[in-house]
Amino acid sequence: MNKKGQGRLILAVLIIACVGQINTIASVMMADIAAEFPDASATAIQYVMQFGMIGGFPVSLAMTVLSQKFRKKPMILIGMACILIGGAIPIVSHSSLAVLYVCAFLVGAGQGFITPLLGTIILLNFEGSMKDRMIGLNTTFGTGGAALLLVIAGWVCKTGWVNVYYIYFAVVPVFLIALVCLPMDEKPQPIAATESGSKAAIPAKGAIQCLLAVCMMIGYVTFPLNLAMFVVGEGIGDPASVGLGMSLVTIVGALVGLILPQIIKMFKLYISALGAAFGFLSTVCVIVAGNMMMVYMAAILNGIFFGVVMAGGGYVIGRICKPEQIGPTFSLSMSFVTLGTIISPIIVNALTAVWGGEGSKGAFITSAGIFAVVFVLQIFWGAYLTKTCPEAPVPQA
C-alpha cells in the first residue's frame, strides 16, 4: 500500500473508531430511566444499556466467519446504519422498556460490526511500531470519541433523557467519511490449508485469552452500570457529574492509547495483569468514596484499566496468533468481551446476594473481589505466555 493509500486508511479507521463505543452514552440515562419506569427492577433498567452488548455479541461472533468471506468496508457501513436506526427510533417511540431494548440491540449490533473489523484491519495492514501505534490510536480515538459524546450526553440529559438519543446522529458524517475514504478491500480468498493439512483456526492460547477477557469485563461493567445509581443514591452528585466521571474514564483510556507502545515495552505479556490491577483499585476507590472527587479518582483508575485492556488485548493476540489466525481470534475476543458485559449484571448481582450485599455499593464490592481473582490469573497467564511465545521483532524506528 502506498503512502497516500495508507494515509486514507489511517484517517478512515480513526474517524470510524470515534463512534465505535457510542453505546456508552446510555450510562448517563440510567437514573432517569429508572425514575421513568419505577416498577422495573434495577436489572431491567441496566439492560437498557446491556441490550447493546447483547446485540453486539452474535455479530462479533459472526465476524470470526464473515471477516473471511466478505469485504470489510460494506460490513462497517452496515454497522453504522444499524447504530443510526437504533438511535433514532426512541426519539419517536420510548413508552416501554421493550422498545428501548430493541433499539439498544440494533446499536450494539452496529458496534459488533465495527469494533472487530477495525482491529482486524489494523493487525493485517500495519507492521512493527506502526502496528503498536495504531492499536493505541484506535483505543485513543474510540475512547476519545466516547468521552466527547458522554460529556455532551450528560448535559443533554438535563433537558430530558430522550434527547440523548439525538446524539446518535453523529454517525451520519462518520458514515459519509467512511464511504469516501475507507479503501475498498479485496474480497477475502478461502483460507488455504497449512502445511500440517489443517485450516487456520483459533489457537488454544487465543481461546484462553478470550475466556480471561470475559472475566475482566464482568468486573469492569459494574462501573458504568452502577455509577449513576450509586452517585445519585448516595446524594453526592447528579447525572451531569456522572457524565463527567464517565468521560474521565474514556479520556484517560484515550491517553493510555497514546502511550501504548511504551507500556508494551515495559510490561509486554503482563499487560493484562496491569489492567486488572487498575480495575481492582478503581472499584475500591468507589467503595470508599464519600464525594465526587473520590468518584473522579476512581474514574481515572478505571480509565487506565480500560485503555490498557482494550488496546493490550490486540497486542497479546498479535503475539500468540499466526497471520491467518488473527482475524478470527480478534473477532472472537471482541465477542467474548461483549459476552462479559452481557452476563456481568447477572453474575455480579447474584454473587452480591450470596454474601448479603445490597445495592450499587454491594455490586462494587463484588466487582473488587472479581478483579482480585482475575489479577492473580493474569499473572500466571503472563508468565506462561512469556515462556512459550516468541519475542516480537524489535520494530525499526
Side-chain angles (χ1 to χ4, degrees), residues 39-118:
D39 295 331
S41 67
T43 300
I45 298 299
Q46 290 170 346
Y47 267 84
V48 172
M49 184 174 177
Q50 288 304 92
F51 258 94
M53 310 305 172
I54 294 172
F57 175 68
V59 177
S60 295
L61 190 60
M63 287 300 105
T64 62
V65 176
L66 297 180
S67 63
Q68 302 176 56
K69 294 182 178 294
F70 300 101
R71 291 182 173 91
K72 299 174 181 62
K73 179 176 179 177
M75 290 193 288
I76 288 174
L77 295 177
I78 290 171
M80 285 189 281
C82 289
I83 292 174
L84 180 59
I85 294 170
I89 292 175
I91 295 173
V92 296
S93 178
H94 50 265
S95 59
S96 72
L97 287 176
V99 172
L100 301 183
Y101 289 161
V102 171
C103 293
F105 186 94
L106 285 172
V107 172
Q111 294 183 172
F113 279 100
I114 292 173
T115 303
L117 290 175
L118 287 185

Side-chain angles (χ1 to χ4, degrees), residues 276-358:
F278 278 102
F280 172 77
L281 292 174
S282 71
T283 52
V284 171
C285 198
V286 173
I287 292 167
V288 301
N291 53 59
M292 283 307 301
M293 289 306 298
M294 288 293 292
V295 173
Y296 292 151
M297 178 59 66
I300 291 171
L301 295 171
N302 198 258
I304 296 174
F305 159 82
F306 187 80
V308 168
V309 170
M310 295 306 293
Y315 166 75
V316 174
I317 288 172
R319 286 285 301 275
I320 64 181
C321 292
K322 297 177 181 178
E324 65 270 18
Q325 297 170 330
I326 286 175
T329 304
F330 191 84
S331 295
L332 184 66
S333 174
M334 290 298 98
S335 67
F336 271 50
V337 164
T338 304
L339 176 63
T341 62
I342 293 170
I343 65 176
S344 175
I346 298 173
I347 292 178
V348 170
N349 292 345
L351 291 177
T352 301
V354 167
W355 63 264
E358 295 182 354

